[in-house]
Amino acid sequence: MELNKSVYHQRRQTVLKKIGTDGIAIVFAAPEQRRSNDTEYPFRQDSYFYYLTGFPETESALILNGKEQTATLLCRHKDSDSEIWHGFRYGPDAARDQFKFDQADDITQLTEHLKKALPGHRQLYALWGLYPERDPEIITLWNEINQIANHRSINGSTITPENLINLASILDPMRLIKDEHELSLMRIAAEISARAHIRSMRHTKPGKYEYQIEAEILYEFMSHGARYPAYNSIVASGKNACCLHYVSNRDQLRASELLMIDAGAEYQMYAGDISRTFPISGRFTSAQKDVYDIVLAVNQASIEATVKQANWQTISSKATQMLTEGMIDLGILQGSVEENIDKQNYRRFYMHGLGHWLGLDVHDVGGRFDRQGQPILLQPGMVTTIEPGIYIAAADDIPAAFHNIGIRIEDNILVTETGNENLTASVPKTTSAIEAIMQT
Ligand code: GLY
Ligand code: MN
Ligand code: MN
C-alpha cells in the first residue's frame, strides 16, 4: 500500500519539476456516466488523473502549482448520509494524509483555489479537450484573472498565464515507459486475461452461444479480482470475426466455423488485450489452418523484432509484406507482392494496424512519432500489442473454403534491455497446442 501511494507522489514530483516554477497544471477526475434513469455505469477513474494520484473518486481535481512546487487535491467532503447510500469517500483530510498531497480541500472550493493559484504562472497546463465541458470553466477563470491583472498592470507586475499547453505533452511520454509498479500490475492483467482465453477454449462447443463463452471469460476475470474487462469482449464466430470490433456476441456456434476472441481483463486500472482464434469443432480444417499459419508466422516474426531500438514502422511494414505474400499464396490476391502493397490491395483482408501501446488505456497514449515527427524507437518499459490478422468475407471471387475465416492473434509484449517479454505467452497459439487444449 505504501509503495502504491509513493509511486503517485513521485510522478507528481516529476511533473512539478517539468512544468517548472512558471507552470501550473490542472487535471480532472472522470465524471460518472448515467446508464439509465438514476443508475450509473460502473465508475472508472480517468487514466491520467489516476496515474498522478491513485485517487479513486469522481468529482475530484488535482492542481500542481509549479511556483510552490505543491500538489493540491480537491475532492468531495465527508457526508455520512451520502455514504450510507453510495459508500465510503475519503474526504479531503484523509485523502491528503493517505495519498500524500501537500493540501486538500472540498471540491466546491476549486474555483477559489484556481483564482489564487493561476496568477504568478506563465504556463497553464491542462488536458484540453479530454473533458470538453471543463475547458470553458478554466478559460472563463483565466479571462477573469487576466482582466483583473490588466487593470492593475499600469503599475503592477501581476503575471498571468500566457500559454495554454496540453499536459499530455508531459504525461504521454511518461506513461509510455512503464515503471516496475505498472509492470507488476500489467503482468497480472495479462495473466488473468490469458487464463480466460484458455478457459474459453475448453468451454467452446458447437451449439453454445457466443454470450455463453463471454460469460466464461468474465467469470475468469472476476474470479481473479478483475471486476471489469478492459474493453467490451469480442466473441466472434464465423463471419462475425470479419467485423473487427464485433461485440453483440449473440450468435450460435457452428462446428464448421472458427471462433475469434479478443478479450482482456482490467486489473487495478491496467489492461490486458489478447486475441486468439480456434476451431469450434476442436480441429482446424486445412483451409483454416493455411490462413492461421500465415497469421501466426507474422505474429511470431513481429514479436521477435520487438526489441530495444527497433523502429515500429519497420516491424509493421515487414508484417504487411508477410501477410500480403501469404494472401498471394492462398490465391485470394493476384499479382506481385510489390503491386499489392503499392495499391494497398491487402487492406481488403488486413485493414488495421499491427498493434498499439498498452497500459492504463487499452489503446494507450504515447503515439508512434515524437513531436518532431520522428519515429519513437522502442525502449525498455514500453508495452505494445502485436496483433496481425486476416479477415476473408464471403465473396464470389474468393474460394468457398476461405469464406468467413477471420483470424487475429494478439499478444502483449514488453520491451526489455535484452529483448522482450511476452506477457501473454501462456495462451496456446500453435494449431496443435490449441487442438490439444481443446480436448482437455
Ligand atoms: N481489443 C481491441 C484491440 O485489439 O485493439
Ligand atoms: Mn489490441
Ligand atoms: Mn484486442
Side-chain angles (χ1 to χ4, degrees), residues 119-268:
H121 294 98
R122 291 191 195 279
Q123 270 75 253
L124 171 52
Y125 289 87
L127 292 158
W128 304 107
L130 183 59
Y131 299 110
E133 67 280 10
R134 307 304 304 240
D135 293 352
E137 281 176 44
I138 308 178
I139 302 285
T140 304
L141 200 59
W142 177 53
N143 277 335
E144 274 176 36
I145 288 161
N146 270 330
Q147 278 175 17
I148 297 166
N150 286 342
H151 289 141
R152 288 192 194 136
S153 63
I154 292 169
N155 56 356
S157 53
T158 307
I159 291 168
T160 58
E162 46 202 39
N163 298 309
L164 305 185
I165 304 178
N166 194 341
L167 186 61
S169 62
I170 289 177
L171 293 181
D172 289 4
M174 288 172 68
R175 284 179 55 185
L176 190 50
I177 308 288
K178 274 71 185 173
D179 58 36
E180 278 309 317
H181 173 252
E182 295 186 287
L183 290 177
S184 65
L185 297 176
M186 289 192 74
R187 285 194 183 94
I188 298 172
E191 193 47 39
I192 296 172
S193 307
R195 293 177 71 124
H197 278 263
I198 292 170
R199 186 181 180 90
S200 317
M201 289 175 182
R202 291 192 165 129
H203 280 78
T204 291
K205 297 277 175 301
K208 283 193 177 182
Y209 285 82
E210 291 166 342
Y211 51 74
Q212 291 178 302
I213 307 305
E214 182 180 16
E216 301 297 342
I217 293 167
L218 295 178
Y219 173 85
E220 198 69 28
F221 288 176
M222 288 182 118
S223 304
H224 293 92
R227 283 285 308 284
Y228 304 107
Y231 52 93
N232 293 328
S233 306
I234 299 167
V235 183
S237 62
K239 67 173 173 16
N240 297 334
C242 295
C243 166
L244 298 180
H245 286 172
Y246 169 86
V247 290
S248 50
N249 299 352
R250 59 178 163 232
D251 282 355
Q252 198 170 16
L253 307 185
R254 292 196 286 216
S256 58
E257 295 183 331
L258 293 171
L259 183 61
M260 198 279 287
I261 296 181
D262 182 344
E266 180 175 284
Y267 184 76
Q268 294 192 22

Side-chain angles (χ1 to χ4, degrees), residues 206-393:
K208 283 193 177 182
Y209 285 82
E210 291 166 342
Y211 51 74
Q212 291 178 302
I213 307 305
E214 182 180 16
E216 301 297 342
I217 293 167
L218 295 178
Y219 173 85
E220 198 69 28
F221 288 176
M222 288 182 118
S223 304
H224 293 92
R227 283 285 308 284
Y228 304 107
Y231 52 93
N232 293 328
S233 306
I234 299 167
V235 183
S237 62
K239 67 173 173 16
N240 297 334
C242 295
C243 166
L244 298 180
H245 286 172
Y246 169 86
V247 290
S248 50
N249 299 352
R250 59 178 163 232
D251 282 355
Q252 198 170 16
L253 307 185
R254 292 196 286 216
S256 58
E257 295 183 331
L258 293 171
L259 183 61
M260 198 279 287
I261 296 181
D262 182 344
E266 180 175 284
Y267 184 76
Q268 294 192 22
M269 295 291 284
Y270 284 85
D273 183 8
I274 303 179
S275 302
R276 287 290 186 272
T277 310
F278 49 92
I280 289 162
S281 67
R283 294 269 174 232
F284 285 88
T285 65
S286 75
Q288 289 167 348
K289 189 171 183 314
D290 287 348
V291 185
Y292 189 93
D293 281 338
I294 293 167
V295 180
L296 180 62
V298 179
N299 166 287
Q300 289 168 331
S302 305
I303 291 174
E304 211 169 297
T306 299
V307 294
K308 188 173 146 180
Q309 291 300 115
N311 181 336
W312 177 252
Q313 264 52 52
T314 311
I315 302 171
S316 288
S317 303
K318 176 76 183 150
T320 301
Q321 186 190 326
M322 287 179 72
L323 287 167
T324 306
E325 285 166 4
M327 292 169 199
I328 293 170
D329 290 346
L330 291 173
I332 58 173
L333 283 182
Q334 281 74 42
S336 70
V337 178
E338 294 71 28
E339 185 186 339
N340 279 294
I341 290 177
D342 284 352
K343 294 189 178 151
Q344 300 204 344
N345 295 341
Y346 64 84
R347 290 185 64 84
R348 178 175 171 195
F349 307 110
Y350 170 54
M351 56 298 268
H352 56 75
L354 180 64
H356 50 82
W357 302 124
L358 186 70
L360 283 167
D361 293 316
V362 62
H363 296 160
D364 209 31
V365 296
R368 296 285 182 182
F369 294 90
D370 66 17
R371 290 163 72 75
Q372 284 69 45
Q374 295 303 309
I376 295 174
L377 301 183
L378 296 179
Q379 296 302 323
M382 293 178 175
V383 181
T384 187
T385 68
I386 295 286
E387 49 181 306
I390 292 182
Y391 312 89
I392 313 174

